[in-house]
Amino acid sequence: MTTPHTDDTFASTASDSATTAGGDSSDGDSFVYGDEGYVETEGRVFQAGGGDWDDLVDEATSLNEERIVVNMGPQHPSTHGVLRLILELDGETVTEARAGIGYLHTGIEKNMEFRTWTQGVTFCTRMDYLMPIFNETAYCLAVERLLGIEDQIPERANVIRVMMMELNRMGSHLVCLATGGMEMGATTIMTTGFRERERILAVFEMITGLRMNNAYVRPGGVAQDLPAGAIDKVKEIIPQLRTGLGELEKLLNENPILKGRTKGIGYLDLTGCIALGLTGPILRSAGLPHDLRKSDPYCGYETYDFDVITRTGCDAYDRLRNRIDEMYQSLRIVEQAIARLQDSVGDPVMVTDKKIAWPAQLSVGGDGMGNSLDHIREIMGTSMEALIHHFKLVTEGFRVPPGQAYVAIESPKGELGCHVVSDGGTRPYRAHFRDPSFNNLQATAAMCEGGMLADVIVAVASIDPVMGGVDR
């Protein structure tokens, strides 16, 4: 990660001083290297360079200046997981900030190369563990594009995907607000946020058999149709969630203490967001209504009525308000999805091509998810060919034509993209994800430098990074 500067090239000061590992900044006249060589500029110019952080510590020591380098994390509760923040302090003011990642590296992308296309779902769902449905959907949409079956996905499967994603969006935002409140000392925010999220997880467990890491969305559709009572359960929690959001608003929106801690904190304007490739609530807090559900629809989002929430404060407070309002929009979409699901009971939830379709005739029992007994009787008792095909599909998997595809969706944290490459086999040659938390973390230095140490916690909380998605 490099410190942001005022030009898209590397900059140096007028004195051509050596670039340090962490980057230096200077005020006054400077020279920026552009297309016509070095050009004199005015204002603050940042230097960017590589190297090891220990070099900066050694330099600070040799200068005999009272600068302190502090490691915040990777086990600090306010670092949203195993994130390491390396802060250089001048008193209580942060003069340098760097994010150290890699402490939660799981090798998920590499592991996916050694599993079938369908088994890959069980890996990618574990990346950003607060938005598993989005991880699965991005991956499956990319696989379906490679297979050329995007137009064959049943309508009911797409509606189920949309409903699950919007519920998951609310669950992710609730954790962001709850943990952010806890880090500022507001434990009531945490208990209220997690209480509401628990309602959503109960629905996920009812539908998929699991609270997290669901592996529910599969190439070609979803693993199973909604069980009996699922629609009624979702209709039951919608007013409860709306009431809970109202409670959070009363606790947060006009709270003078919260506004004092978040207004003007973690400031990053639209220019900075574009330069760093930031998306999601951070970008929309800078006034740009960029939402892939509107600009590049998928899963039928173009047929749903909802608004893209924006604000122009460019700070932690506006990001918080954006997330609250986005949850109300998610409830609108869920209500529309429920109406469509009630009208499509009995419709298929998996593509008809049996060479691709994972068996979707499943049922959820007391011990989780299992095969339908009727389906087992059919493939074992009436058709030897069906049994052989079932065995090959599950153990070997289906083949995907050679090629590559990239699909991006709007996750709770921004643009989540999946790039898959096939060599014509039953396993991905390569699967790579553009996780929004990874890109958004680049804003750490821009948001924190020049601010107070206590404001680092608020700024990072407003980014809402999840390290499972960052490291993969």
Side-chain angles (χ1 to χ4, degrees):
M1 186 181 303
T2 59
T3 309
H5 48 77
T6 56
D7 193 85
D8 58 355
T9 56
F10 289 108
S12 66
T13 62
S15 61
D16 270 342
S17 60
T19 303
T20 64
D24 281 334
S25 62
S26 61
D27 291 311
D29 294 339
S30 304
F31 293 91
V32 177
Y33 188 78
D35 295 335
E36 301 178 358
Y38 285 97
V39 180
E40 187 172 358
T41 65
E42 294 183 0
R44 187 172 177 83
V45 176
F46 291 90
Q47 291 180 306
D52 191 83
W53 191 261
D54 292 337
D55 298 337
L56 181 62
V57 178
D58 294 339
E59 184 198 358
T61 304
S62 64
L63 293 175
N64 294 319
E65 296 180 0
E66 292 187 2
R67 293 192 291 174
I68 303 173
V69 177
V70 174
N71 279 292
M72 182 176 165
Q75 276 78 38
H76 192 284
S78 295
T79 55
H80 288 245
V82 279
L83 169 66
R84 178 190 179 200
L85 293 173
I86 308 151
L87 308 174
E88 180 187 316
L89 306 177
D90 181 5
E92 286 289 312
T93 302
V94 178
T95 57
E96 292 278 354
R98 277 198 170 193
I101 64 174
Y103 295 94
L104 194 60
H105 182 58
T106 56
I108 283 174
E109 292 181 351
K110 192 65 178 176
N111 273 304
M112 292 174 70
E113 299 174 15
F114 297 90
R115 298 295 187 276
T116 67
W117 291 94
T118 300
Q119 288 173 330
V121 175
T122 65
F123 281 91
C124 68
T125 187
R126 289 167 162 78
M127 296 188 312
D128 186 329
Y129 34 79
L130 294 183
M131 56 179 199
I133 302 296
F134 290 91
N135 300 330
E136 301 165 17
T137 303
Y139 170 70
C140 290
L141 289 175
V143 176
E144 289 160 6
R145 181 166 295 180
L146 274 180
L147 288 167
I149 61 171
E150 291 177 285
D151 297 333
Q152 302 174 30
I153 308 303
E155 174 65 18
R156 184 173 176 84
N158 274 329
V159 176
I160 292 175
R161 288 178 177 182
V162 168
M163 182 190 75
M164 296 290 283
M165 280 191 286
E166 293 308 314
L167 288 172
N168 200 178
R169 188 185 311 278
M170 295 185 65
S172 177
H173 283 348
L174 285 168
V175 172
C176 173
L177 299 179
T179 55
M182 176 188 66
E183 290 157 5
M184 289 185 283
T187 54
T188 308
I189 306 299
M190 186 194 73
T191 54
T192 304
F194 275 93
R195 181 194 69 197
E196 299 308 312
R197 177 175 178 256
E198 197 66 23
R199 305 185 199 279
I200 296 171
L201 294 184
V203 170
F204 281 5
E205 186 173 13
M206 181 181 189
I207 294 174
T208 72
L210 294 165
R211 290 161 56 88
M212 299 170 64
N213 307 329
N214 309 95
Y216 179 66
V217 182
R218 305 286 176 89
V222 294
Q224 63 182 15
D225 200 354
L226 299 179
I231 293 179
D232 292 336
K233 180 67 174 177
V234 177
K235 291 171 66 176
E236 176 188 325
I237 70 166
I238 287 176
Q240 296 171 349
L241 288 169
R242 189 169 274 115
T243 300
L245 289 179
E247 292 181 20
L248 282 173
E249 284 191 296
K250 291 176 182 177
L251 288 166
L252 293 170
N253 284 2
E254 298 302 325
N255 187 325
I257 299 176
L258 177 113
K259 293 178 79 171
R261 290 283 280 121
T262 57
K263 277 281 189 180
I265 303 301
Y267 183 88
L268 189 65
D269 61 14
L270 182 57
T271 302
C273 290
I274 297 297
L276 293 171
L278 309 189
T279 52
I282 302 177
L283 179 61
R284 292 190 287 272
S285 75
L288 185 66
H290 176 69
D291 189 314
L292 290 171
R293 294 174 294 176
K294 291 283 191 181
S295 59
D296 189 13
Y298 52 93
C299 293
Y301 266 111
E302 66 275 12
T303 64
Y304 292 85
D305 180 28
F306 66 98
D307 300 322
V308 178
I309 305 299
T310 60
R311 276 185 169 75
T312 56
C314 309
D315 56 15
Y317 178 74
D318 274 21
R319 291 169 206 137
L320 177 148
R321 292 293 302 272
N322 269 7
R323 290 184 173 101
I324 292 177
D325 290 344
E326 284 181 14
M327 285 192 279
Y328 281 113
Q329 298 302 317
S330 291
L331 283 177
R332 285 179 61 187
I333 297 173
V334 170
E335 288 175 326
Q336 296 170 60
I338 285 296
R340 300 183 188 191
L341 289 171
Q342 288 178 312
D343 296 336
S344 62
V345 175
D347 288 358
V349 295
M350 183 61 72
V351 292
T352 56
D353 187 350
K354 293 300 182 183
K355 293 184 178 180
I356 297 173
W358 190 267
Q361 302 91 343
L362 303 174
S363 60
V364 177
D367 58 346
M369 190 165 60
N371 275 305
S372 160
L373 290 177
D374 292 338
H375 182 60
I376 293 173
R377 290 191 189 100
E378 177 188 352
I379 64 173
M380 294 192 69
T382 61
S383 172
M384 177 59 70
E385 291 78 11
L387 178 61
I388 294 172
H389 174 71
H390 180 95
F391 180 80
K392 286 181 65 65
L393 182 64
V394 172
T395 57
E396 182 181 302
F398 52 80
R399 294 188 178 275
V400 174
Q404 58 183 328
Y406 176 82
V407 174
I409 66 175
E410 188 68 32
S411 80
K413 299 168 179 63
E415 179 177 329
L416 169 63
C418 179
H419 177 217
V420 291
V421 183
S422 172
D423 59 1
T426 58
R427 303 180 301 184
Y429 177 79
R430 182 74 169 95
H432 176 64
F433 292 85
R434 183 224 185 263
D435 190 271
S437 290
F438 180 81
N439 292 71
N440 293 349
L441 264 183
Q442 294 181 103
T444 304
M447 288 184 181
C448 297
E449 290 179 2
M452 305 298 287
L453 175 61
D455 294 336
V456 172
I457 294 170
V458 179
V460 173
S462 73
I463 296 175
D464 187 28
V466 172
M467 302 312 294
V470 173
D471 291 335
R472 301 187 303 283

